[in-house]
Structures are given as C-alpha cells and as structure tokens.
Amino acid sequence: MKITFTINNKEKTVEVSPHQRLLDVIRKELGLTAAKEGCGKGECGACTVLLNGEPVASCLVLAPQADGAEILTVEGLLSEEGDIHPLQQAFLDAGAVQCGFCIPGTIMTSYRLLQEKANPERQEIREALAGNICRCTGYQKIIDAVELAAEKWQAGGEVQ
Amino acid sequence: MMKNSRQNASNRQENFGENSKKGQKEPEQVLGQNVPIGSADYLAPESLNKALEYRSRYGYKAVVIAGGTDIMVDYFEKLPEVTSWLDLTKISALKNIEITREEIIIGSLVTHLEIARNEELKKYLPLLAAASSEVGSWQIQSRGTIGGNIVTSSPAGDTLAPLLAYQARFVLASTEGEREVAAEEFFVGPKDNIMEPQELLTKIIIPHPPENTISRWWKVGKRKAMIISSLTMALLLEVNKNDRIQSARAAYGAVAPTPLRLESLEEYLTDKDLQEVELKKAGNLAEEAISPISDIRGTEEYRRQVTRDITIEALREMQQR
C-alpha cells in the first residue's frame, strides 16, 4: 500500500506493508538513520521522532498510521547549508554525547520541549526526557546541554 | 486495544472459512471497495459506523489499533502474523472532550497527553489528569489513548483506578446499538473485560464530582517514568463544610486481578468526621481488602504494606489540608 507524509519538510510517497513500523520506513525506505532502534517496545526513546509535532516512539507506530502526517527527525534540524542545529551544537559543547545511540531521540524530545518552553527548569528537562534512556552519560550533561541550548536561544536565535 | 486477539494465523483462516459458509461475504471482496488507504489488510475507516461494520464482520480476526502503545508491544516481532488491522485513528468523532452540566464525556481516542494538559479536566477530574500525566513518558502519552488503557484492562492500567473512583461509565457500540457499562462491571480479570468481539469502546462518561470533593492520586513504581505501576490509588472524599465525609470512593490498581474499589474502607469512611478517621484502622481495612500477587513489580507483602501506608498518608494529608 502507498502512504504519503511530509518528513523534514519534504513530501514523500512510500510503498509500505501494513505491518511495517514507521521506524523501519524512516530508516530502511528513506535511509534516514538518525532515529535508532533500541528496545523496539517504546521504552528507551532511541527511536523518538516528532509526529504531528509531538514526540513519539516510532517503533510503536504502524507505517500506515503515518499517512498524511508530518514527521520531523534530526536530519530535518540541519540548516539548508547542512550546518548542525544550535541544539545539536549545545550537545557537543556540553559534552553530552558519549556513544551517541540515544542522542537523536533525546535531541528530538529536547527540541519539542524548547519549542514549548523557552527556559525550562532542570526538573522540567528531566521530566520531559524521562522516556529517553541513556546508558553512558548519567544524564547530567544532557540536561546541561538542553539548558545551554535554551540560553543560546534566549540570547540570540529562536527555536525554529 | 483488543482482548483475545492473539490467535495464530491458521485459526484465523479457519474462522474466515466458517463465516463464509454462514453466508457472510468474504472480507477480501469487501475490502477493495471500502478501504481508502488501498490495502487488503489495513482497514482505516474515518467513520465510526464503518468501523463498527468492520468490527461485526471481522470480530477478533482484525486487530484493533489506536495509539499502539500496548498492541505494538504485544505483537513485538510478530507483526507479520497479523492478517488484518482495524486502525481507529482516523475516526475524529472519537477524539472529542465534551463537558455538559451533568457530565464529562471523553472520546475513547483522546490521548493521555490531551487529558493531562486539558485545563478543564485538571479542574474537574484531577485524579484522571494526574494519572494520565504519569503514564509511561511523553512519547507514550502522545500516542496512548484512554480507550486503549481501558480496553487493555491491565490491573495496573494507570487511568483505571481514577475511572472507578469517578464512577465512570463506558459506552460500548456495535452495529446493533450502544450499551453503557459501569467501570466496576467492565473489568473481569487480568487483561479481561466484558466487551464482545463486535463492540468498540466509544466514550467514557463521568458525572461531575460534587464541588466539595477532595482527592489524592498515588502511583507507586520502581522509577517515575516508563514503569508499569506496582500499585495505584485513587482516593476521593466528598466532605461537607463541617468536615463530615458524605461519601468516599477508594479505588486501587495492581492489587487484585482487576482494578477495584474497597467497599469496607469506603463504608468505614462514609458519614464520619474527617478528623475522627482513625488512620491505622483505615490502613488496615485497605490492606485486608486487596488480594495482590507477587510478581516482578512487588511481592504480595510489599503491596499490602504499601497499600496500607499510602492510604494512611493520603488520609493524613486530607486531615491536615
């Protein structure tokens, strides 16, 4: 069956089978490999993408359910020139990335949080990211990174 | 969003055969005409009537999916075994929240995120809004629906104790019509309920709690997010201006085969001055009324002790409010 959706501001029509997951379509059919499969059961958050503006575990979404939807992945955060997004830069500057497997999901949830709340408290960041599990960092630097990104935006740019 | 859906593929095939002998159309013939999305296996109707038609034709043979946060886990690595999906997510009629003078009516497809953030629900149904805000994680709340939580019927389902405490009624629809069932009568065992294979849960109807209501929600788990609750409590007291308890509803989850109300505790609390409630006695009543199991989320002994403790603590908070 054919489904059509917008991903990273581009409209795509893809042939999918009804039991394909959105995560598999994004990774295998479209070759966008930022979103990762960790647990496959919605518990780890590594596959987080924004679906119609909210973070979802893309391993728990059937591909046909994304018909007509708007999807954003980390690849969609890059500027037209290919520069990384200030939020990604903040993760680098804060040293928030170790193995990196969970980071694309963490970035997408953080991105949504900062859209909603320009200057979140540390506790609010923790709560927002509760569904993004990281085995390496111990989370402190991830929270630092989101705070840093929030500061940068407040100082200059805006969340797109 | 459906019980007993885990038949294997060969069973399903046999059942199709039986149905066709009884003069029903082969599903394949119907599908091509009716499925806008264009697949024989994927039914995604936009109208409730169409969904009910499919439901009466397919019964358990089509796996019903909405947010997918339970079903996709149940079918992890077995997705190809599903021969037919009935996806409800395009049915906008099931996504409304309606507040009338007497009742609050929540469509079965309303997500936990929508409930947790709805200012009116926070005001009128704080136990439910709080429970929804603690389901899983942001990712789960944005997909998971209140209807799915109910129909999955896990004794640990986070919204279930609040729904019992609020005396919710569930509207079950089929092509034959609708019936309304009290939340207490809906759940009959772990992941089991009274729904028939041709029915869909369409609405949750909750009478407005009286204005002089105080309540406390409590979720106990090994961590705050992404955890199946070890136990939940939704305690609701209607207290008049003389601090007399006019009615009490004490609902608990994950402490018995179904979420349940503790009648002995409710009786003890009713018609008593709040300040005269003996906390230990109330705690003991709660502990005695439950029938928990030991599992990876807690032993029976742990569940009894914690049920007692949070009951006492919640009532203490209410006395000191």
Side-chain angles (χ1 to χ4, degrees), chain B residues 11 84 106 136 180 203 230 237-238 243 259 267 290 299 312:
Chain B
N11 277 345
S84 309
I106 304 173
E180 255 184 53
K203 285 179 216 161
S230 300
L237 303 182
E238 187 191 345
D243 230 16
E267 271 171 33
I290 61 174
T299 61
I312 289 174

Side-chain angles (χ1 to χ4, degrees), chain A residues 48 54-55 65 116 130 132, chain B residues 42 66 117 138-139 142-143 223:
Chain A
T48 303
E54 295 292 347
Q65 293 190 302
E116 219 173 57
N132 291 89
Chain B
Y42 201 82
R117 295 187 173 185
W138 198 346
Q139 290 90 331
S142 64
R143 292 291 293 171
R223 66 181 283 244

Side-chain angles (χ1 to χ4, degrees), chain A residues 91-114:
Chain A
F91 270 67
L92 293 179
D93 294 344
V97 181
Q98 287 187 36
C99 91
F101 196 83
C102 72
I103 298 298
T106 306
I107 297 241
M108 293 321 294
T109 312
S110 307
Y111 180 82
R112 177 71 188 107
L113 172 68
L114 293 174

Side-chain angles (χ1 to χ4, degrees), chain B residues 163-316:
Chain B
L163 290 169
L164 286 185
Y166 285 129
Q167 296 181 303
R169 306 191 307 278
F170 305 150
V171 178
L172 305 178
S174 72
T175 49
E176 308 287 302
E178 285 186 345
R179 58 174 174 147
E180 255 184 53
V181 184
E184 271 171 274
E185 286 156 28
F186 183 80
F187 305 102
V188 293
K191 298 206 170 182
D192 199 7
N193 59 51
I194 60 156
M195 257 173 94
E196 298 292 335
Q198 72 276 11
E199 288 179 314
L200 288 172
L201 169 64
T202 55
K203 285 179 216 161
I204 296 92
I205 302 178
I206 301 174
H208 274 284
E211 281 195 8
N212 49 348
T213 293
I214 53 176
S215 62
R216 178 67 154 96
W217 156 255
W218 211 312
K219 170 171 174 166
V220 180
K222 286 185 181 163
R223 66 181 283 244
K224 279 192 172 171
M226 283 318 305
I227 198 74
I228 296 175
S229 299
S230 300
L231 63 99
T232 59
M233 177 189 73
L235 184 64
L236 185 150
L237 303 182
E238 187 191 345
V239 182
N240 73 11
K241 53 179 183 293
N242 301 322
D243 230 16
R244 193 165 190 83
I245 301 170
Q246 290 174 298
S247 69
R249 285 176 240 143
Y252 292 70
V255 294
T258 65
L260 84 164
R261 280 175 60 181
L262 307 188
E263 279 173 30
S264 55
L265 175 59
E266 293 179 357
E267 271 171 33
Y268 170 69
L269 295 171
T270 303
D271 244 355
K272 200 169 250 82
D273 281 344
L274 178 56
Q275 300 305 333
E276 283 169 15
V277 170
E278 290 174 53
L279 298 175
K280 273 190 186 164
K281 163 113 185 166
N284 290 342
L285 282 171
E287 183 181 343
E288 284 158 19
I290 61 174
S291 52
I293 55 166
S294 295
D295 65 10
I296 53 164
R297 290 180 282 281
T299 61
E300 178 188 343
E301 194 188 357
Y302 171 83
R303 286 193 162 101
R304 286 194 191 277
Q305 177 129 25
V306 176
T307 296
R308 181 176 185 277
D309 290 350
I310 62 177
T311 304
I312 289 174
E313 193 51 35
L315 286 166
R316 192 199 316 277

